[in-house]
């Protein structure tokens, strides 16, 4: 059982393991090509933190649409004027979801309940998305709130490059829980600086000191904590145990499928 460690130097040794289990969901850091060549079957926990991540995405969208944090700081400082505190409601806005796996599909259901208009870009289109599916460039152009929740792989690395970002609305709310390489973060910093009304909430792995995003006033960056709740951590432990028991009893194990 492993997590938060570079497993690639040990792939050869894993040929001797009966079960190799990643105690996490994302596996972009694993050399899956080499694992395949070695005949390894690696398992992971695809659904242990979905509830926590959906809640993070909702908080992030609301944070971008309504300046309630600013309102609280101003009230504490004795400033009670409301002129610069007007926000937007989610109902009727267009939500663009990039990635339609477990998180993206659950997010779509939640946002539909809130009466947002749902548009989706998916690397692996599904028939049920016909009335929601848009090319990436069109989704970026029409969305009031952009949710980036695709996994990181060779197809999605730098998916949101500088050209993709240029067509965003001036007052877009840009939310991401995807791994850093999915987005050209330097380009995003430039787009946010050019759009004073835009807001971004990004759950990222560490950025180098002096990264341009760190100087943007209209971005909130969190240190990869979308999954980080007491219940999700307990589920992670429980699901590791469940995976071992399933393997030993011939039950279903969630092997990584490339």
């Amino acid at each position: 059982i492993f997590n938060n460690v570079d497993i690639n130097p040990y792939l050869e040794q894993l040929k001797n393991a009966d079960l190799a289990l990643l105690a996490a969901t994302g596996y972009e850091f694993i050399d899956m090509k080499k694992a395949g060549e070695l005949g390894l079957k690696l398992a992971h926990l695809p659904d242990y933190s979905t509830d926590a991540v959906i809640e993070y995405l909702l908080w992030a969208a609301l944070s971008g649409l309504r300046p309630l944090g600013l309102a609280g700081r101003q009230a504490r400082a004795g400033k009670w004027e409301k002129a610069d505190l007007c926000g937007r409601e989610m109902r009727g806005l267009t939500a663009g979801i990039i990635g339609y796996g477990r998180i993206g599909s659950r997010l779509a259901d939640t946002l539909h309940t809130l009466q947002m208009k749902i548009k989706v870009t998916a690397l692996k289109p599904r028939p049920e998305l016909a009335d929601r599916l848009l090319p990436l460039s069109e989704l970026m152009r029409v969305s009031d709130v952009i949710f980036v929740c695709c996994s990181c792989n060779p197809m999605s690395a730098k998916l949101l490059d500088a050209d993709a970002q240029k067509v965003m609305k001036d007052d877009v709310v840009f939310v991401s829980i995807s791994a850093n390489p999915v987005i050209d973060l330097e380009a995003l910093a430039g787009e946010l600086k050019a759009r004073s009304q835009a807001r971004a909430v990004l759950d990222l792995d560490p950025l180098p000191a002096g990264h341009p995003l760190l100087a943007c006033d209209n971005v909130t960056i969190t240190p990869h904590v979308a999954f980080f709740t007491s219940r999700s951590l307990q589920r992670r432990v429980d699901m590791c145990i469940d995976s071992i028991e399933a393997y030993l009893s011939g039950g279903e194990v969630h092997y990584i499928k490339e």
Side-chain angles (χ1 to χ4, degrees):
I1 301 174
F2 64 96
N3 192 9
N4 296 323
V5 64
D6 182 5
I7 200 70
N8 293 310
Y10 309 104
L11 292 178
E12 285 277 357
Q13 288 95 316
L14 286 180
K15 289 193 298 184
N16 299 317
D18 293 316
L19 177 66
L21 175 62
L22 169 61
T25 300
Y27 52 88
E28 63 274 359
F29 63 94
I30 302 176
D31 186 344
M32 293 303 299
K33 181 179 179 182
K34 182 176 181 181
E37 292 170 350
L38 292 169
L40 300 181
K41 292 178 68 177
L42 304 178
H44 68 148
L45 309 178
D47 203 29
Y48 82 95
S49 62
T50 301
D51 290 344
V53 173
I54 295 296
E55 290 179 3
Y56 177 96
L57 290 165
L58 291 175
W59 163 80
L62 290 167
S63 296
L65 291 169
R66 300 193 63 182
L68 300 181
L70 174 62
R73 292 190 296 273
Q74 290 188 175
R76 186 179 291 273
K79 182 180 178 182
W80 295 88
E81 295 83 3
K82 301 179 178 66
D84 57 348
L85 301 177
C86 187
R88 289 182 284 168
E89 298 175 7
M90 300 180 83
R91 178 178 180 176
L93 296 183
T94 298
I97 301 175
I98 300 172
Y100 201 73
R102 285 179 172 82
I103 290 172
S105 57
R106 280 273 301 281
L107 177 63
D109 291 342
T110 304
L111 298 177
H112 178 72
T113 300
L114 296 172
Q115 300 186 57
M116 295 191 78
K117 302 172 186 175
I118 312 300
K119 299 299 177 184
V120 175
T121 287
L123 295 177
K124 297 178 181 178
R126 302 179 187 180
E128 68 269 22
L129 293 179
D131 61 338
R132 292 181 170 181
L133 200 62
L134 286 180
L136 178 62
S137 59
E138 182 67 7
L139 179 140
M140 297 290 284
R141 186 183 69 81
V142 303
S143 296
D144 298 294
V145 185
I146 295 171
F147 295 93
V148 187
C149 47
C150 56
S151 59
C152 183
N153 54 50
M155 294 179 66
S156 64
K158 287 293 171 70
L159 177 68
L160 299 181
D161 59 13
D163 288 338
Q165 297 174 32
K166 286 179 181 177
V167 300
M168 296 188 300
K169 292 185 175 183
D170 288 341
D171 60 352
V172 68
V173 175
F174 187 98
V175 176
S176 177
I177 50 91
S178 290
N180 296 26
V182 171
I183 306 167
D184 185 333
L185 296 174
E186 289 77 12
L188 181 60
E191 295 298 332
L192 291 173
K193 286 182 178 179
R195 295 169 167 83
S196 61
Q197 293 180 290
R199 297 290 182 269
V201 181
L202 312 171
D203 197 40
L204 298 175
D205 291 316
L207 295 174
H211 192 283
L213 268 180
L214 300 174
C216 293
D217 294 333
N218 51 347
V219 61
T220 298
I221 297 172
T222 57
H224 188 50
V225 294
F227 76 98
F228 200 53
T229 68
S230 58
R231 291 185 67 182
S232 69
L233 294 179
Q234 184 60 55
R235 277 194 298 269
R236 184 163 68 180
V237 173
D238 294 341
M239 291 177 72
C240 283
I241 296 170
D242 291 343
S243 296
I244 296 170
E245 292 179 341
Y247 175 81
L248 294 174
S249 65
E252 182 182 6
V253 177
H254 293 285
Y255 291 107
I256 296 172
K257 298 176 182 178
E258 281 290 282

